[in-house]
Each structure stands twice: as C-alpha cells, then as structure tokens.
Amino acid sequence: AMEDPKGFQPQGLSNCLWALAILSVPDLETTAESLLETAATRQTELDDQHVANILWSVATMGVPGHQGAIRALTEEAAKRSATLKTQELASSCWALASLAPNEATEPTMLELASATNEKAKELKDLELVNILWSFATVGDRQGWTVKQGS
C-alpha cells in the first residue's frame, strides 16, 4: 500500500506523512514523496487538519523538490485560512516559514495573517509564539517591514 498510496483515505495520507516525519526514517524518502504527491492531487478531499498536518510533516522532513505539490497544498491552506483552527494556523505558519518561503508563499502567509488577526483572542501562548516566529522568519527572508500607526 505504501508504494501506491492512491487508495489511501485523506486521513491515512495525513497520518502516514505525520508518522514518517516523527520517526525521521531517511530510507522512506521515496514513500514520503509519493504520499505528498498523492495528497496534493487530492487536496480538495483533505480536511483542514490534514492540510496543516501534511504541510507540517513536509517541513519537518525537509522533503526536497516537489514545489508543485507544496504549492498546491500551500494554496489550499490559503483558501481555508478562515476555517482553520488556531493550532492548524500555527502549524501552517510554522511549516511555510520552515519551507524557505519565497514570493510564491507570500499570498498564503498574508491570508494566514488575516485569519490569525481574526482569531487572535483564541490563540494559546505556544500558538502565538510559533506564529510570531513564523512571520518574523518570513519577513526577514522576504524583506518585509512593519508599518506603524495603522
């Protein structure tokens, strides 16, 4: 089944990638890549938690390449930003910052920033810290500046 994950349910894709990230098994890179590609082609079947977990898993494993799959999942996170729970927002922000953000991830980060602003009072301390670290990291790499007084 791991060689051909197309038959996996969305939760199975998410859980397998999460487990591979936690286990840090280097010999399973091809399996992780196959799961990632499958998840990207089935992104609309994934729920919010699956998208966040897959992005976190990919960032944790440091899966090289696969920019198309990562971009598809990143864009999916942006579309869902308003419905993401605070933990999912924090995980997605951390993942995007860890995946060496570029101009392609900037619109997603801005969508996540807007969703974070809407849910600011709901954030737990660790979620807030992770989100702040994410935006500081992305902002530093992208040359963002802070506008005061708005």
Side-chain angles (χ1 to χ4, degrees):
M2 292 290 276
E3 290 82 29
D4 183 21
K6 291 180 180 79
F8 278 34
Q9 295 297 315
Q11 184 171 353
L13 289 168
S14 174
N15 289 353
C16 282
L17 280 163
W18 179 87
L20 291 174
I22 293 296
L23 294 171
S24 299
V25 182
D27 296 339
L28 293 178
E29 187 174 297
T30 303
T31 301
E33 292 169 353
S34 180
L35 289 164
L36 172 60
E37 292 295 332
T38 301
T41 61
R42 296 176 55 197
Q43 63 189 333
T44 58
E45 297 174 41
L46 303 170
D47 69 20
D48 294 349
Q49 183 178 359
H50 299 149
V51 173
N53 286 352
I54 291 169
L55 286 172
W56 178 89
S57 299
V58 170
T60 299
M61 287 186 286
V63 177
H66 302 282
Q67 294 306 311
I70 293 169
R71 180 174 288 124
L73 290 164
T74 298
E75 290 171 357
E76 192 65 27
K79 289 178 197 170
R80 300 167 181 230
S81 62
T83 61
L84 294 176
K85 293 179 179 139
T86 56
Q87 176 61 46
E88 296 160 354
L89 274 170
S91 292
S92 297
C93 288
W94 180 88
L96 290 175
S98 298
L99 286 167
N102 54 45
E103 283 127 24
T105 58
E106 189 171 330
T108 299
M109 289 301 288
L110 294 174
E111 287 291 329
L112 294 174
S114 177
T116 298
N117 190 45
E118 294 294 318
K119 297 176 185 187
K121 291 182 180 180
E122 300 170 37
L123 293 169
K124 294 181 178 93
D125 293 347
L126 186 57
E127 294 166 347
L128 178 60
V129 168
N130 284 334
I131 289 169
L132 290 173
W133 175 87
S134 300
F135 282 99
T137 299
V138 171
D140 184 53
R141 289 182 188 156
Q142 295 295 101
W144 291 356
T145 58
V146 176
K147 294 180 182 175
Q148 295 183 352
S150 42

